Amino acid sequence: MKMKKLLSALLSAALLLTGAGLPAMQVRAEEQVQGTANRLSASEQYVAAMGAGWNLGNSFDGVDTDLSAEDKGETAWGNPVVTRELIRSVKEKGYQSIRIPLTLHHRFTSENGVYTIDPKWLARYKEVVDYAVEEGLYVMVNIHHDSWIWLKDWNGDTKVQEYAKFTQLWQQLAAYLAEEPRQVCFETINEPQFSEYPNVTDQQRLDSLNRAAYDIIRKSGGNNGERMIVMPTMNTNHEDEKIQGLLTFMQGLNDPNLIATVHYYSEWVYSANLGITGFDEVLGDDGNTARKAADQLFDVLTDTFLKHDIGVVIGEYGLLGYDAGEDCLQQGEELKYYEYMGAKAAQQDGICLMFWDNGSGIDRNDAAYAWKKPLVGTMLQTSVNQRCSYAKGLDTIYLKARTKKDVQIPLTLNGNTFTGIEGAEQGTDYTYDERTATVTLKSAFINQAFDRLDEDAYGIFADLTFTFSAGAAWHQYFVKYGKGNAGSANGTVTDGIRIPLTYNGRKVRRATAYAAGGKVGPQSGWWKYLQYQEVFFADYEKNQLVLTGNFFADDTVKGKDGLIRLEVTFFDGTTQDLWLSISGNKVISKRSLEQKPSVEAATVKAGKKKTLKLNNVDGGAQVSYQTANVKIASVTAKGVVKGKKAGQTKVKVTVTQYGKTRTVVGEIQVNK
């Protein structure tokens, strides 16, 4: 890591002087860093110098796709006008590179097959690029949302308008920025994707576009002859087939000034919170975790691109639930992801990690440009330079009452040493076992904090700051919680429903919805839990559990009247059932709509048959039957009893519906 920092600093200085009549970048770097530079290609050196990166998202890429609407430019998606001070703050936070996505849709005119970028838009974009250059940042220029707005419809024919647009826009962009120093690199297209057409593959079309942009840039003069060109995989995905497709294409160009790019938002069920919130929580039957998935990402990048001397920029990374609501992600488990990603990138020369920020990260309306989530910001900035430590378990411990036992918190140190807890005294308030890296908090210390909370109040009663020899501090929270109650409400299939639910300090971990026949809701065909925010979310301020219209619009629910049980699980380990009844467009919730199944007693003559009558068993339920004495009566899988000889026996009926299994027992009388 130290070697990478040294290379980065020296190469940054070298590149800033490009154009002053000095030798080529890689030669200077080799002379100054000797052995380090000798083992890195020009591409890897450049990426190493880019260090940690940040995306100016939802500014120049923000766009109204309706061409009849007024173009609000860089404020189209709600962010303020970009200032020099914002760019300076990015530099001051320790970032060495910035990606500035650019959408050209709505910003060019067309006449007789000629597409012309709005000169004012181009000038303003260059102005912000120059802000970054003047701050000493590496800059990645790219064409952004055009990929899915219009370029996705390209059928592979170089004579059609999509290809003409793409090539003409790059001709203008490359020429306009040709004199920018080589610390500015060009990314050909963001997240390429294509509609399906016969006789042409996605990779063939991407190769054609990458080749077209490459030829245009290299022939456009200025510093573009040797400028670094960044090329994406299909969908900027790191799947093997897509990695290999780009690798083969780039090797065919035989150009040392090429960089590959992928994007990474971790595993979806963790990243977007489909009930998996732990960084080390098992994601599925294969035993994979978000941490292991990150390892696999860096392994494949190393074994493909870096193995062939091609540097890699992870042009966007983050978590999909980051801006989906304050409580979408479990904060401590989110921090562990950022820590690990920063550490993995820092360990590997030739990989640059660029955080995607659409305005949810740095507060662009704040004069000081502070992070909206301070702990996340601290972790993002710290993790690229040093390892950070944290608790092995969750950052929150829930207590219903005063504790009679001491509380142990095992730590993951990542090479650091534990140095203490702010405001607490070792030996009196806690002890530390260095051998097992475990902090033991004394019950008296915890209870003292617990008692400071009003008797009828719930929530955080302690925020303990754990400090270490290096890296960010770790916050360990203690929360008092109590049992909550659900109330009645009315809603609609169209708009969803807000169900009254007192949380009393509890936080929702996950939820699953069941109809009589099993799981329902989006992804229920292959997954266990609903997606937080998209399908359901907790409104803690209003004490409501919200089930959105997206739930009722899913094919497993849409147009189907009946009962649904929503099973909500909390981080304290408790669960709560919420029952819904759908009738047409109306949805109601009550404390409980469940009616427990039962089986009626049956009388049958020996040698005769009779079907058992079940109550409160709905269509789609799974039912099994078993008699206690098969010599008196037998029962089929469909509940048909056959009397064999006179006597009494019992029948056990097991009913699985609404995600619950219940067993009921009935009497069978067999007469002669």
Side-chain angles (χ1 to χ4, degrees):
M1 201 151 39
K2 291 180 180 179
M3 190 69 78
K4 181 173 181 177
K5 292 178 186 176
L6 173 62
L7 173 62
S8 176
L10 292 174
L11 187 53
S12 295
L15 277 173
L16 288 172
L17 294 174
T18 300
L22 297 177
M25 171 192 67
Q26 61 266 34
V27 176
R28 288 197 308 277
E30 287 173 4
E31 291 174 348
Q32 295 179 66
V33 195
Q34 296 180 1
T36 303
N38 284 331
R39 67 179 176 83
L40 295 179
S41 66
S43 172
E44 292 169 308
Q45 290 174 38
Y46 190 99
V47 172
M50 290 177 74
W54 180 84
N55 274 269
L56 181 62
N58 287 23
S59 284
F60 286 95
D61 57 311
V63 65
D64 191 328
T65 56
D66 181 0
L67 295 179
S68 65
E70 177 190 2
D71 181 18
K72 296 181 180 179
E74 63 200 272
T75 66
W77 287 356
N79 280 318
V81 170
V82 178
T83 64
R84 184 185 295 272
E85 289 72 26
L86 169 62
I87 305 303
R88 182 171 296 133
S89 79
V90 172
K91 175 72 172 182
E92 290 171 349
K93 286 176 172 57
Y95 288 104
Q96 295 163 273
S97 56
I98 182 171
R99 184 171 178 254
I100 308 181
L102 172 69
T103 297
L104 292 172
H105 179 77
H106 217 328
R107 283 95 194 219
F108 62 80
T109 59
S110 62
E111 186 175 353
N112 297 324
V114 176
Y115 302 91
T116 305
I117 303 174
D118 179 355
K120 291 182 180 179
W121 178 248
L122 206 50
R124 171 59 182 155
Y125 181 74
K126 183 179 184 301
E127 181 179 30
V128 174
V129 169
D130 289 338
Y131 289 167
V133 168
E134 290 159 11
E135 291 298 330
L137 292 164
Y138 284 77
V139 182
M140 189 185 300
V141 169
N142 85 342
I143 296 179
H144 206 75
H145 293 300
D146 301 86
S147 63
W148 62 265
I149 294 173
W150 54 267
L151 188 56
K152 76 177 188 319
D153 295 323
W154 184 46
N155 63 7
D157 186 347
T158 58
K159 298 180 179 64
V160 298
Q161 66 170 350
E162 289 85 7
Y163 186 81
K165 281 185 195 176
F166 180 77
T167 53
Q168 289 182 35
L169 295 179
W170 256 119
Q171 287 167 359
Q172 294 165 74
L173 192 59
Y176 196 77
L177 300 176
E179 299 304 325
E180 292 289 340
R182 287 184 58 205
Q183 73 195 78
V184 176
C185 57
F186 293 163
E187 179 184 4
T188 57
I189 190 67
N190 173 70
E191 297 183 353
Q193 53 198 275
F194 299 108
S195 302
E196 190 171 339
Y197 281 97
N199 304 319
V200 62
T201 68
D202 289 351
Q203 190 62 52
Q204 286 171 334
R205 282 178 282 184
L206 178 57
D207 289 350
S208 295
L209 294 178
N210 274 334
R211 181 74 206 207
Y214 173 83
D215 289 341
I216 289 166
I217 293 165
R218 285 288 178 257
K219 296 173 183 177
S220 55
N223 290 317
N224 290 344
E226 293 184 339
R227 189 179 304 283
M228 283 290 168
I229 300 176
V230 184
M231 295 182 174
T233 60
M234 268 305 304
N235 308 106
T236 52
N237 197 298
H238 67 284
E239 293 174 359
D240 183 66
E241 180 183 358
K242 295 172 182 179
I243 289 278
Q244 293 297 332
L246 179 61
L247 176 62
T248 299
F249 174 77
M250 295 179 81
Q251 287 180 305
L253 293 176
N254 193 29
D255 186 330
N257 294 320
L258 298 178
I259 296 170
T261 188
V262 298
H263 292 173
Y264 188 70
Y265 287 96
S266 191
E267 298 299 285
W268 185 42
V269 295
Y270 163 72
S271 182
N273 187 357
L274 275 75
I276 300 294
T277 53
F279 185 52
D280 292 297
E281 190 173 353
V282 174
L283 304 175
D285 295 338
D286 60 358
N288 199 22
T289 67
R291 187 187 299 272
K292 291 178 182 178
D295 289 337
Q296 293 160 8
L297 165 72
F298 284 93
D299 285 347
V300 74
L301 296 179
T302 300
D303 293 341
T304 52
F305 295 120
L306 298 188
K307 181 179 179 180
H308 293 93
D309 300 324
I310 298 172
V312 181
V313 172
I314 301 176
E316 293 179 18
Y317 95 102
L319 291 173
L320 297 172
Y322 179 78
D323 59 345
E326 190 69 25
D327 295 293
C328 184
L329 302 173
Q330 206 289 329
Q331 182 171 262
E333 299 304 297
E334 177 185 4
L335 295 176
K336 292 176 185 179
Y337 166 79
Y338 295 133
E339 193 282 333
Y340 198 63
M341 289 293 291
K344 294 292 289 186
Q347 292 166 4
Q348 180 61 69
D349 289 318
I351 296 180
C352 166
L353 198 60
M354 307 189 88
F355 178 66
W356 175 257
D357 188 346
N358 61 9
S360 298
I362 296 174
D363 188 346
R364 301 181 197 177
N365 291 301
D366 174 39
Y369 295 107
W371 290 98
K372 288 183 175 179
K373 299 178 183 178
L375 293 183
V376 170
T378 298
M379 183 61 77
L380 288 170
Q381 292 178 222
T382 307
S383 62
V384 296
N385 295 313
Q386 48 189 305
R387 292 303 305 264
C388 301
S389 308
Y390 41 78
K392 288 185 181 294
L394 294 178
D395 68 351
T396 305
I397 295 173
Y398 292 86
L399 295 178
K400 201 170 186 178
R402 299 172 94 249
T403 180
K404 296 180 180 180
K405 298 180 179 180
D406 296 344
V407 175
Q408 291 189 334
I409 302 176
L411 302 176
T412 298
L413 294 174
N414 292 324
N416 299 326
T417 57
F418 171 72
T419 56
I421 302 174
E422 291 183 3
E425 184 176 343
Q426 187 168 351
T428 303
D429 301 324
Y430 70 92
T431 60
Y432 179 64
D433 186 333
E434 187 174 349
R435 182 180 60 84
T436 61
T438 300
V439 172
T440 301
L441 297 167
K442 300 292 185 68
S443 60
F445 174 66
I446 298 170
N447 290 333
Q448 186 179 29
F450 186 93
D451 292 341
R452 286 196 288 267
L453 201 64
D454 291 342
E455 185 176 349
D456 58 350
Y458 299 98
I460 295 174
F461 65 84
D463 175 0
L464 305 181
T465 304
F466 288 41
T467 59
F468 305 91
S469 57
W474 175 256
H475 288 257
Q476 191 70 41
Y477 304 98
F478 280 77
V479 169
K480 178 186 175 183
Y481 77 96
K483 183 179 179 180
N485 294 312
S488 301
N490 296 305
T492 66
V493 166
T494 306
D495 299 323
I497 187 169
R498 286 181 164 267
I499 306 168
L501 179 62
T502 52
Y503 290 101
N504 293 335
R506 300 176 299 168
K507 292 284 188 178
V508 172
R509 182 177 185 180
R510 55 177 61 128
T512 306
Y514 298 93
K519 295 191 301 293
V520 292
Q523 288 86 47
S524 58
W526 62 272
W527 189 243
K528 299 172 282 186
Y529 309 116
L530 301 176
Q531 183 176 350
Y532 195 89
Q533 200 66 40
E534 181 74 15
V535 179
F536 83 103
F537 63 91
D539 187 332
Y540 295 107
E541 290 186 3
K542 295 181 179 179
N543 275 314
Q544 294 175 335
L545 192 288
V546 182
L547 202 57
T548 73
N550 293 329
F551 172 78
F552 299 101
D554 187 74
D555 288 341
T556 60
V557 182
K558 186 176 180 180
K560 297 177 175 65
D561 292 351
L563 294 180
I564 286 178
R565 180 177 74 93
L566 188 65
E567 182 182 83
V568 182
T569 303
F570 300 87
F571 278 104
D572 56 75
T574 62
T575 61
Q576 188 148 8
D577 286 351
L578 303 176
W579 286 87
L580 306 172
S581 176
I582 303 174
S583 178
N585 193 46
K586 294 181 180 179
V587 183
I588 65 170
S589 72
K590 292 185 178 180
R591 291 182 183 275
S592 179
L593 294 170
E594 180 185 23
Q595 294 180 311
K596 295 181 180 179
S598 64
V599 56
E600 295 186 6
T603 301
V604 63
K605 290 184 177 182
K608 299 296 183 180
K609 296 179 180 180
K610 187 173 186 177
T611 301
L612 292 171
K613 184 177 181 181
L614 303 181
N615 297 316
N616 302 323
V617 176
D618 294 335
Q622 297 178 4
V623 184
S624 64
Y625 304 84
Q626 183 180 3
T627 57
N629 190 335
V630 295
K631 293 181 179 180
I632 293 175
S634 63
V635 61
T636 70
K638 292 185 178 181
V640 178
V641 174
K642 181 179 181 180
K644 293 188 175 180
K645 71 176 184 177
Q648 288 184 332
T649 186
K650 295 183 183 296
V651 61
K652 182 172 71 173
V653 183
T654 302
V655 180
T656 299
Q657 61 180 3
Y658 302 106
K660 286 187 172 183
T661 299
R662 299 186 184 278
T663 299
V664 294
V665 177
E667 299 286 342
I668 297 178
Q669 174 69 45
V670 180
N671 297 330
K672 291 183 179 179

